[in-house]
Amino acid sequence: MAPVLPLVLPLQPRIRLAQCLWLLSWLLVVVGGLTLLCSGHLLVQLWHLGTFLAPSCPVAALPQVALAASAVALGTGLVGSGASRASLDAAQYPPWRGVLGPLLVAGTAGGGGLLVLALGLALALPGTLDTGLEEGLGTALANYKDTEVPGRCQAKRLLDELQLRHHCCGRHGYKDWFGIQWVSNRYLDPNDQDVVDRIQSNVEGLYLIDGVPFSCCNPHSPRPCLQSQLSDPHAHPLFDPRQPNLNLWAQGCHEVLLGHLQGLASTLGNMLTVTFLLQTLVLLGLRYLQTALEGLGGVIDGEGEAQGYLFSAGLKDMLKTVWLQGGVARRPAPEEAPPEEEPPKEGLPEA
């Protein structure tokens, strides 16, 4: 049975392969550590912005899987650096012979699978974030006025901090505040005729105004912030509705948060891609080095031309061997035939 992708490795190429693997392994350690940090940073950001994401939005799956994949890559790099360095010394390599096999299996099946899954989640994240932010921000705006409702007491503070920190207003713009009641009923005067008229003119009984909360104000504006009667062109002669960013934050929080989180996810996706490529090179190199040394009995300074390979036999031969072994195992043992009865011996004639 011919091996898969054989490669002849004399002494000097084996030494250079071990040296290159040592460098690649430490590079994998560095990249795996950076990927670990990027995954943790994205997970913390999602945790802080969890209030503005739909509860059913599985965005945390990406950093969690990326954390596991980067941890496996980090371990693969550390073990690979030790094994490649030990392979240059015939006295240090024998203890590593039992480690390389499990490392290759775990790194290929576990680490490779986790990296591929993380890359798939990174590609699917923009659509998931878009839907989650759309629903989560809508709920946050609707709960803004409920400062005395259990479970929603912090909604106003969190949304104000979000708009101030990220320089955004509303879900898609400042006019989103015109369509919801964001002023609590406790601050409305029931004897004020304007309040009564606004509530009665709305089919849902809401108090709607063409104004925004203070957190939508741009502190860099050269004039005091204009928060009310924003749709009345005669109320504020110097206010230009076509340039609201001179007074209010023009961008909606959906666009700002989506761009922020997509940027972090894109960085993480690039780091995962580099980690995947480095881990693939390290595992392939370790496999060739392992099989070449096994052909020489684990002696790195053997003068013979060792042959490295990925698999000891082709896929067809391997499947055939497994099938034959399984067939032998499934074949029932032949029933033992009953022992034949010996014919009766004739008596000897009497003398």
Side-chain angles (χ1 to χ4, degrees):
M1 295 183 291
V4 178
L5 296 178
L7 181 63
V8 178
L9 293 172
L11 176 59
Q12 291 302 320
R14 288 200 306 272
I15 295 177
R16 287 195 294 269
L17 175 60
Q19 293 172 343
C20 291
L21 279 176
W22 185 82
L23 292 174
L24 285 175
S25 297
W26 278 112
L27 185 58
L28 178 61
V29 170
V30 174
V31 175
L34 293 176
T35 307
L36 196 70
L37 293 177
C38 291
S39 305
H41 180 59
L42 179 58
L43 188 62
V44 170
Q45 290 294 310
L46 291 173
W47 179 72
H48 282 302
L49 298 174
T51 306
F52 311 106
L53 291 166
S56 59
C57 184
V59 292
L62 169 60
Q64 291 171 353
V65 175
L67 279 172
S70 55
V72 174
L74 191 63
T76 303
L78 290 174
V79 178
S81 64
S84 57
R85 183 179 180 84
S87 66
L88 296 174
D89 190 344
Q92 296 181 4
Y93 181 71
W96 290 91
R97 295 178 68 179
V99 177
L100 282 177
L103 169 67
L104 292 172
V105 174
T108 304
L114 288 173
L115 284 171
V116 172
L117 178 59
L119 286 171
L121 291 173
L123 293 175
L125 186 66
T128 306
L129 274 177
D130 191 8
T131 305
L133 286 171
E134 187 73 19
E135 181 181 345
L137 285 171
T139 304
L141 264 68
N143 297 337
Y144 184 85
K145 68 179 188 305
D146 300 331
T147 54
E148 296 181 350
V149 178
R152 303 177 184 175
C153 303
Q154 304 298 323
K156 178 183 181 301
R157 179 183 64 83
L158 293 175
L159 190 52
D160 284 334
E161 290 178 354
L162 177 72
Q163 294 187 144
L164 289 171
R165 183 183 302 113
H166 292 276
H167 298 175
C168 59
C169 182
R171 180 164 51 178
H172 298 288
Y174 73 96
K175 291 186 178 181
D176 291 337
W177 291 104
F178 297 177
I180 65 169
Q181 179 180 339
W182 55 271
V183 180
S184 177
N185 289 327
R186 64 179 297 188
Y187 300 112
L188 299 178
D189 184 4
N191 299 320
D192 190 340
Q193 189 60 39
D194 179 65
V195 173
V196 175
D197 292 342
R198 287 182 180 274
I199 293 177
Q200 291 180 350
S201 63
N202 185 269
V203 293
E204 298 179 0
L206 301 177
Y207 178 75
L208 304 181
I209 58 173
D210 52 349
V212 296
F214 78 97
S215 54
C216 284
C217 294
N218 185 349
H220 304 292
S221 174
R223 58 178 296 172
C225 182
L226 305 176
Q227 297 177 245
S228 60
Q229 296 179 307
L230 297 178
S231 59
D232 187 355
H234 304 290
H236 310 289
L238 299 180
F239 175 71
D240 187 358
R242 294 170 298 180
Q243 295 181 326
N245 58 322
L246 297 178
N247 185 72
L248 306 173
W249 302 121
Q251 286 186 309
C253 293
H254 181 277
E255 178 183 357
V256 173
L257 292 182
L258 186 62
H260 173 64
L261 294 176
Q262 281 185 347
L264 295 178
S266 177
T267 302
L268 178 57
N270 293 333
M271 295 300 299
L272 288 170
T273 302
V274 177
T275 303
F276 179 78
L277 294 176
L278 284 175
Q279 185 164 337
T280 301
L281 291 176
V282 169
L283 291 174
L284 286 175
L286 286 175
R287 177 57 176 170
Y288 275 105
L289 186 62
Q290 178 202 27
T291 53
L293 292 179
E294 289 301 320
L296 295 173
V299 181
I300 185 65
D301 54 355
E303 294 294 342
E305 287 190 353
Q307 186 183 58
Y309 50 82
L310 291 183
F311 301 103
S312 58
L315 180 60
K316 181 179 179 180
D317 294 333
M318 292 174 63
L319 293 177
K320 183 179 179 180
T321 302
V322 172
W323 174 259
L324 292 176
Q325 291 176 351
V328 171
R330 291 189 301 268
R331 188 180 304 164
E335 297 181 358
E336 295 183 358
E340 297 181 357
E341 297 182 358
E342 295 181 0
K345 297 182 179 179
E346 297 181 357
L348 294 176
E350 295 182 358

